[in-house]
Amino acid sequence: MNFKRLSMSFLFVAALFISALAQQPTATPSVDRLQQIIGYLASDALEGRRTGTKGANDAANYIAGEFSRLGLRAAVLSASPTRARVESLTRYFQSFPYVSSVELGKNNLLFVNPGRADDMAQYAVGEDWMPLGFSTNASVKNAEIVFAGYGISSAELKYDDYAVSNAKGRVAIVFAGTPDGDNPHGQFVQAGQIRFKVAAARAAGARALLIISDDEKLKDDRLARLSYDNAGEAGIPIVLISRKLASKILGLDETATLTRMESEMVKWVAGGGVVANCNQPCGVTHNFHPSIPGKLNLEVNVNRIDSPSFNVVGILTGSDPKLKDEAIVIGAHYDHLGRGGEGSLAPREGEIHHGADDNASGVAGVLELARILSAQSPKPRRTIVFIAFSGEEEGLLGSDYYVNHPIVPLANTIAMINMDMIGRLNDHKLIIGGMGTASEWRAMIDRENSEDSMRAAALLSVTGGPVPTNMRVNLDPKVNPVGAPVVVGINGRPVVVAEFPNVPRELATPFALTLSEDGYGPSDHSSFYSKQVPVLFFWTGTHDDYHKPSDTSDKINYEGEARIMSFVTRVVRDIDKSDTRPTYTVAKSESQGRSTGFRVYLGTIPNYADANDGLKLDGVRDNSPAAKAGLKAGDKIVKMAGHDVKNVYDYTYALGEMKAGQEYEVELMRDGQRMTLRITPEARK
């Protein structure tokens, strides 16, 4: 064997290896940039970035400014190159409908006629009563009133306040809250939510619902603050009334009597009154059913105010003449919870929910990927669409709007990468969802999380650029330096090694991955998977600061997020360098492993956007009862199990009334035609 020739060959191979390393794209995630982006988005100045607020719009302008600075193409093409900067930034916006506030309209009237023509009383809106923000505008004339306890109806709990209250064609009056009081773990927590009370009233045939305030002063009740959850109108007028007005309607002498009445109802339920007295589902109205002689005249008029709400879209056009028509979407939502309220886990409203991890961290990831990929040479072969979504906390509103109004056709969208809460890396633990949505994902993730790949990425992050001058080839078989093996002997030991500088073990350690097959989940990738786009969802898990004001920028693991960004960058490059698109596959459903509070399973994927005329389905899980019944994505359910369905809460209420193994009719709209299918729910496992 000619060792001299072999040595020269080794040197030649090593030189090629080092040259190849030097030619790799060298831009790396910047800890300083991550800190700067998250620091601003999670600052007090943006007041929690609630969709439709100034803070959210300021965040949108900031993101658009970054896209512009990086030279990304805007979603809307400009007719003139001389536009003002503010107008130019709006070209990155994709607006979608969103109601951010509610105002009282004209002619809100409430009269109670106690049965005597000379004793009709009108009550002042804002003082004695207040329509709820999602109330339907309507008039109710000369309607009888019935007491319906707490207004709760739940087949699962075998409890029904409407069992002996004939509410059909009448106005129901109910107490707010539940017999459990403020117990967050009580059995009535879900059934007692205001939207489910409304669904129960509608199912009972009530013309309107009066809810008795919990507070002595109506203005102190949070329900009196006009707001809207963008989940559709109630379908009937919904009104909050003061305890004083409730006492008059019920014929009680004072509010103290009303309080005693409620206290007795709580004791009756807690003491087993329902179980002891009812063979069939019943509620407190079994034992408490005051007769109400008066009649009600009601007119409700509320105005729901649309506010500018935007996805922010920047496009990096691909460099390949053919593959540039295909797109990879990289997204994260930028909205959060403002000053609390709906969705917050804080004990009270008013404090800024900073949303550093949720999801300023993901937006920072999108902006860093945009910087890295736009700077690399050669440019990506495929078009990269960077999207910062809004409305995620309200029910995936922005991403749902995008997939139904895509900038790049979904047929050409080969993958969607979603980052949501990637700022709390701990013990190298990283969660990746959507692994079952493309057959190529597992091999790709395994390869990029290998020791060699992680070590090479760590080297790049340490050097911050091309191969450093102190890199050399070691031919001494007695030395086993840290580095990348170029030639390995038959005994498995490196013979030729490209020596790297010291790389901290922390940076070179592979992630401890938790992999989920499912393409659905509580974030924006779900909207894309419902349209049969392969997805990957990166996050570092929940924590004690989730949806609280304490989710602040000082708690972010910036070095950890930089490592995640390096990992995601390599995955995106792997997708891009392949000549073929990822192969879409139907992922294994993991939904039945999660507790939903329902006894039955249908396998539908509801759309949570504002709706008043039915529940649209974003998807149907394979081999589920819904799929077997013939339901499809895009269907709009208008009636199920005998209950009219106008929104997701009506649908959820109907679902709670269903039993496993029993067949039910489902009425739906498909392509403008009303259809009736039959579905048999399965028991939830």
Side-chain angles (χ1 to χ4, degrees):
M1 181 178 290
N2 189 324
F3 284 95
K4 181 177 180 180
R5 182 177 299 169
L6 181 62
S7 297
M8 292 301 295
S9 299
F10 285 168
L11 287 170
F12 177 70
V13 172
L16 288 178
F17 174 80
I18 295 171
S19 175
L21 269 180
Q23 292 176 31
Q24 293 298 310
T26 57
T28 59
S30 165
V31 168
D32 290 341
R33 282 287 296 149
L34 294 173
Q35 288 176 328
Q36 179 184 352
I37 297 166
I38 295 173
Y40 174 67
L41 293 177
S43 68
D44 287 352
L46 298 192
E47 295 191 282
R49 311 185 307 280
R50 173 76 80 170
T51 300
T53 65
K54 181 180 181 301
N57 293 343
D58 286 347
N61 277 299
Y62 172 81
I63 296 164
E66 290 298 298
F67 284 168
S68 177
R69 186 178 63 81
L70 293 171
L72 301 185
R73 177 166 64 84
V76 178
L77 295 178
S78 173
S80 169
T82 59
R83 291 174 179 264
R85 174 174 170 76
V86 173
E87 186 180 359
S88 176
L89 293 184
T90 62
R91 295 187 297 109
Y92 290 92
F93 293 169
Q94 181 190 47
S95 62
F96 60 88
Y98 179 76
V99 175
S100 66
S101 62
V102 183
E103 296 177 351
L104 286 175
K106 297 179 179 179
N107 301 323
N108 283 285
L109 303 172
L110 189 153
F111 291 89
V112 176
N113 183 350
R116 298 181 300 275
D118 60 346
D119 198 19
M120 182 177 289
Q122 178 179 352
Y123 294 92
V125 65
E127 293 291 335
D128 301 309
W129 68 285
M130 179 68 78
L132 270 61
F134 66 96
S135 172
T136 292
N137 292 334
S139 296
V140 177
K141 303 292 185 182
N142 205 33
E144 295 180 358
I145 310 170
V146 295
F147 177 68
Y150 285 95
I152 294 173
S153 178
S154 170
E156 183 177 5
L157 299 174
K158 297 180 180 178
Y159 182 98
D160 187 4
D161 277 327
Y162 289 96
V164 297
S165 296
N166 185 9
K168 188 173 183 179
R170 298 174 171 84
V171 172
I173 180 172
V174 304
F175 280 102
T178 75
D180 289 325
D182 295 328
N183 181 5
H185 305 294
Q187 62 177 329
F188 296 104
V189 168
Q190 178 166 290
Q193 292 177 21
I194 190 69
R195 280 284 193 168
F196 292 116
K197 289 191 178 190
V198 172
R202 286 187 56 244
R207 294 174 64 186
L209 180 65
L210 308 183
I211 302 169
I212 303 170
S213 174
D214 271 339
D215 293 278
E216 286 301 322
K217 293 183 179 179
L218 185 81
K219 292 182 178 180
D220 293 338
D221 195 314
R222 67 176 184 83
L223 290 177
R225 305 169 201 166
L226 288 170
S227 62
Y228 186 63
D229 58 6
N230 284 271
E233 291 182 13
I236 57 175
I238 311 296
V239 167
L240 179 73
I241 63 174
S242 70
R243 297 182 74 80
K244 183 177 180 180
L245 175 54
S247 298
K248 291 182 178 180
I249 292 175
L250 293 170
L252 305 177
D253 53 358
E254 58 181 355
T255 57
T257 306
L258 183 73
T259 301
R260 287 195 297 273
M261 176 182 173
E262 185 174 13
S263 178
E264 288 299 317
M265 290 193 302
V266 170
K267 291 179 182 178
W268 188 79
V269 174
V274 172
V275 175
N277 292 280
C278 305
N279 295 323
Q280 300 293 327
C282 75
V284 295
T285 48
H286 180 86
N287 203 49
F288 301 86
H289 44 269
S291 175
I292 304 174
K295 293 188 177 181
L296 183 83
N297 287 278
L298 175 67
E299 186 163 341
V300 170
N301 191 323
V302 293
N303 297 324
R304 285 175 275 272
I305 311 301
D306 287 326
S307 290
S309 301
F310 317 102
N311 296 324
V312 189
V313 184
I315 301 169
L316 178 62
T317 303
S319 60
D320 186 279
K322 292 184 178 179
L323 292 179
K324 69 178 181 181
D325 292 334
E326 296 183 347
I328 301 169
V329 171
I330 298 174
H333 75 90
Y334 69 89
D335 65 301
H336 195 52
L337 299 176
R339 289 183 174 269
E342 188 73 26
S344 170
L345 297 180
R348 58 186 176 276
E349 293 184 45
E351 291 185 72
I352 294 173
H353 287 53
H354 298 89
D357 188 32
D358 187 13
N359 185 36
S361 67
V363 176
V366 169
L367 292 178
E368 272 298 86
L369 272 169
R371 180 183 67 83
I372 292 168
L373 295 176
S374 62
Q376 80 174 38
S377 181
K379 292 285 192 293
R381 300 196 299 167
R382 291 177 170 88
T383 293
I384 312 293
V385 181
F386 300 94
I387 310 179
F389 299 106
S390 191
E392 191 269 358
E393 301 288 5
E394 318 294 333
L396 313 185
L397 301 183
S399 58
D400 177 74
Y401 187 84
Y402 179 86
V403 297
N404 287 292
H405 306 84
I407 304 300
V408 175
L410 289 184
N412 294 349
T413 301
I414 68 168
M416 191 274 178
I417 309 297
N418 183 35
M419 294 171 286
D420 194 347
M421 297 175 61
I422 57 171
R424 295 289 191 99
L425 187 68
N426 185 33
D427 294 332
H428 309 286
K429 295 177 182 178
L430 179 63
I431 304 165
I432 306 178
M435 290 293 292
T437 65
S439 56
E440 294 83 0
W441 283 168
R442 188 168 295 272
M444 188 179 296
I445 293 298
D446 287 346
R447 179 171 62 251
E448 293 302 344
N449 195 47
S450 67
E451 289 188 10
D452 287 346
S453 183
M454 296 298 286
R455 189 163 53 238
L459 168 69
L460 195 60
S461 70
V462 169
T463 61
V467 179
T469 55
N470 65 340
M471 187 172 288
R472 63 185 184 277
V473 177
N474 192 320
L475 297 177
D476 188 344
K478 298 179 181 179
V479 177
N480 190 20
V482 176
V486 178
V487 179
V488 179
I490 58 174
N491 61 357
R493 290 176 57 85
V495 177
V496 180
V497 176
E499 246 184 7
F500 295 165
N502 255 343
V503 174
R505 182 175 296 275
E506 180 78 10
L507 296 181
T509 302
F511 292 109
L513 297 179
T514 298
L515 304 178
S516 168
E517 296 281 314
D518 208 342
Y520 291 111
S523 193
D524 292 304
H525 60 284
S526 186
S527 298
F528 286 81
Y529 181 60
S530 71
K531 302 293 186 180
Q532 298 189 339
V533 175
V535 299
L536 285 173
F537 168 42
F538 296 85
W539 70 305
T540 52
T542 190
H543 44 75
D544 290 341
D545 301 307
Y546 174 71
H547 280 198
K548 297 176 184 176
S550 52
D551 181 10
T552 50
S553 59
D554 59 303
K555 297 177 181 177
I556 297 296
N557 178 353
Y558 291 100
E559 290 76 11
E561 178 163 348
R563 291 190 65 218
I564 294 170
M565 293 318 307
S566 175
F567 183 67
V568 175
T569 301
R570 301 197 306 276
V571 170
V572 171
R573 285 173 174 155
D574 280 354
I575 298 171
D576 182 54
K577 74 183 181 183
S578 174
D579 291 332
T580 58
R581 60 192 296 163
T583 307
Y584 169 81
T585 55
V586 177
K588 177 183 177 182
S589 168
E590 298 176 4
S591 65
Q592 292 206 58
R594 295 192 284 269
S595 174
T596 63
F598 294 107
R599 300 168 298 171
V600 299
Y601 166 73
L602 298 184
T604 55
I605 309 298
N607 181 294
Y608 292 95
D610 188 352
N612 301 310
D613 58 351
L615 177 83
K616 182 181 176 183
L617 297 182
D618 276 345
V620 173
R621 296 184 184 276
D622 278 18
N623 300 316
S624 67
K628 294 172 184 176
L631 275 74
K632 300 178 180 180
D635 286 346
K636 181 173 287 186
I637 295 176
V638 295
K639 194 168 187 176
M640 186 168 76
H643 299 289
D644 289 335
V645 175
K646 292 183 177 295
N647 53 50
V648 69
Y649 292 96
D650 292 342
Y651 169 81
T652 305
Y653 176 82
L655 182 64
E657 299 294 298
M658 300 171 83
K659 297 179 181 179
Q662 182 173 326
E663 189 178 68
Y664 298 89
E665 287 190 347
V666 179
E667 296 181 31
L668 56 91
M669 298 298 297
R670 179 185 294 169
D671 298 328
Q673 301 295 316
R674 191 173 182 117
M675 303 174 56
T676 300
L677 302 177
R678 305 191 72 84
I679 189 169
T680 303
E682 295 177 359
R684 185 167 292 279
K685 299 174 182 178

